Amino acid sequence: MWTFYIPVKVTFGAGCAGSAADIVALYGNRPVLVTDKTLAALPAIQAVLAQFPNAPVFSEVEPNPTVANVDALAHLLRASEADAVLAIGGGSALDCAKAAACLACAREPSIRAFHSEGAKLSVAHLPVIAMPTTAGTGAEVTPFSVLDDREKGIKGPIAADALYPVHALVDPELTWSLPLYVTACTGLDALCHAIEGYWSKNHQPLCDLMAMEAARLIFANYEQVCQHPTDSEGRNALSYAALLAGIAFQLPKNAMVHACSYPLSTRFHLPHGAACAFTLEYAIKLNTPAMNGRMEAFAACCGFKTVPEMIACIRRFKRLGGLPCTLADAGIDPSAVDDLVAESFHPLMNNNPKPVTPEDLRQMYAELAT
Ligand code: ZN
């Protein structure tokens, strides 16, 4: 038995950012725009911002958005009596906007109440229109917000239906100017979403289909886009793949690769996609025997004769994008491994098809030492 659900309207296509004002007007007439400082300086993003000459712009979102970012944005949303939020950015801007759109309608003064203190988000929230500028997180179609509580030292997701954006506006042209490293990190994050949604213990047939198609497109287009960043067909394919991968994991949820990524991001500041990709090959090796032939079918669908051939391709993709492949590459001293292992047992680990032991993770980090 399974249930499929996605309450997000999706508009997709090169150039659709030009319709941002029309789409936002469907939901409100006092929007607040959310982005980050680097993006706000780019001509393509300035063209979007220019469609809203009177709207307040919040550009204080940090990479790995913090509880303090969300609280500050919610304050602005209340103070400006906003009735809609347009979030433009990578996962950070989108996750910050999604959480703040909920907090703005709640009594609690800080998102911390919902992030680490056990309160449940209510359904009331401002509508969020999400415009991804990377092809990676899938945050435009997921009910999650990954936040970093710097004071408490806790990084992890909040999950609630209220966090779904109301509308995803996906314009692949916004990804054309991404540097190679960002294209690589976000592209491999999308691949992790496809694979984790597929092997999650909660996987289901509709999500499986989307996961396989997302991964097939990433394997077919990643190299071309890394080498030719303005290849429009390749960029379209990667944006579409990231969207599909987002839909593919938002119900089954992620597993060991994402669980292991959180301490790697908080302790060693690896970007989310690099942190996820860091353990992906080992996780595939570990999980394949527990999947009754499903991983072999996944690799075949992506054009590989064997799972090891797919693993070798992932390693090549990481090198091409400059992602860390060993502890030394990632700046991790082997003495940190015990802490990394201990902090990897996030609840997402329970979705893994093979039960993971601390010994498995120590073995993984031993292999990553060279
Ligand atoms: Zn991810």
Side-chain angles (χ1 to χ4, degrees):
M1 190 177 86
W2 51 271
T3 302
F4 181 81
Y5 173 69
I6 176 100
V8 186
K9 210 177 251 192
V10 177
T11 301
F12 183 99
C16 73
S19 308
D22 292 339
I23 287 178
V24 170
L26 299 172
Y27 304 99
N29 46 32
R30 291 187 310 280
V32 164
L33 316 185
V34 181
T35 186
D36 66 52
K37 287 208 164 66
T38 316
L39 283 168
L42 296 176
I45 306 304
Q46 285 178 346
V48 177
L49 301 179
Q51 296 178 44
F52 305 88
N54 302 317
V57 179
F58 181 87
S59 57
E60 311 304 313
V61 184
E62 296 167 66
N64 295 318
T66 63
V67 160
N69 292 154
V70 174
D71 294 351
L73 174 56
H75 180 77
L76 173 65
L77 294 174
R78 289 186 188 122
S80 57
E81 298 184 353
D83 58 5
V85 186
L86 174 62
I88 309 161
S92 302
L94 270 50
D95 281 2
C96 180
K98 287 155 63 173
C102 291
L103 182 61
C105 300
R107 285 208 192 101
E108 288 74 359
S110 170
I111 198 70
R112 179 173 288 139
F114 308 97
H115 185 243
S116 62
E117 294 177 351
K120 290 259 171 290
L121 276 178
S122 71
V123 275
H125 62 97
L126 297 176
V128 174
I129 299 90
M131 288 181 71
T133 56
T134 61
T137 67
E140 66 275 17
V141 284
T142 65
F144 314 122
S145 171
V146 181
L147 301 176
D148 192 354
D149 189 334
R150 297 256 172 90
E151 283 168 42
K152 284 191 162 187
I154 300 173
K155 181 177 178 184
I158 312 177
D161 279 5
L163 291 166
Y164 279 113
V166 67
H167 204 131
L169 183 55
V170 187
D171 184 343
E173 284 184 2
L174 298 184
T175 68
W176 284 20
S177 58
L178 292 176
L180 169 64
Y181 186 61
V182 179
T183 298
C185 287
T186 49
L188 292 176
D189 183 28
L191 181 64
C192 289
H193 295 157
I195 292 175
E196 295 237 89
Y198 180 82
W199 71 27
S200 164
K201 280 202 283 201
N202 312 310
H203 78 90
Q204 52 147 294
L206 269 177
C207 292
D208 287 353
L209 271 181
M210 287 188 253
M212 287 194 278
E213 177 64 358
R216 188 187 70 76
L217 287 168
I218 293 165
F219 282 117
N221 291 280
Y222 175 93
E223 247 166 329
Q224 170 71 6
V225 169
C226 284
Q227 284 156 358
H228 305 280
T230 56
D231 179 277
S232 59
E233 273 183 39
R235 286 291 192 186
N236 282 354
L238 289 191
S239 285
Y240 177 54
L243 175 79
L244 279 182
I247 302 173
F249 90 91
Q250 52 101 14
L251 293 171
K253 302 198 171 61
N254 285 314
M256 76 172 279
V257 160
H258 276 74
C260 291
S261 80
Y262 297 130
L264 289 166
S265 284
T266 40
R267 281 180 176 268
F268 296 98
H269 310 290
L270 294 188
H272 174 71
C276 290
F278 195 60
T279 61
L280 181 59
E281 297 106 300
Y282 185 86
I284 295 173
K285 252 184 3 186
L286 187 73
N287 282 334
T288 296
M291 292 171 66
N292 302 318
R294 290 184 70 242
M295 205 65 225
E296 286 81 357
F298 187 92
C301 160
C302 295
F304 298 103
K305 289 197 190 71
T306 63
V307 173
E309 201 180 284
M310 183 174 83
I311 292 173
C313 179
I314 292 170
R315 174 57 65 107
R316 204 174 71 245
F317 280 6
K318 284 163 66 171
R319 290 226 169 86
L320 176 65
L323 272 70
C325 294
T326 64
L327 292 182
D329 291 346
I332 300 171
D333 191 276
S335 65
V337 164
D338 283 346
D339 287 336
L340 284 175
V341 169
E343 290 167 20
S344 291
F345 287 87
H346 185 275
L348 288 179
M349 198 64 103
N350 301 327
N351 296 335
N352 211 58
K354 177 185 181 302
V356 177
T357 64
E359 192 41 50
D360 290 327
L361 297 188
R362 271 192 285 275
Q363 174 64 28
M364 173 176 81
Y365 282 113
E367 292 189 18
L368 284 166
T370 50

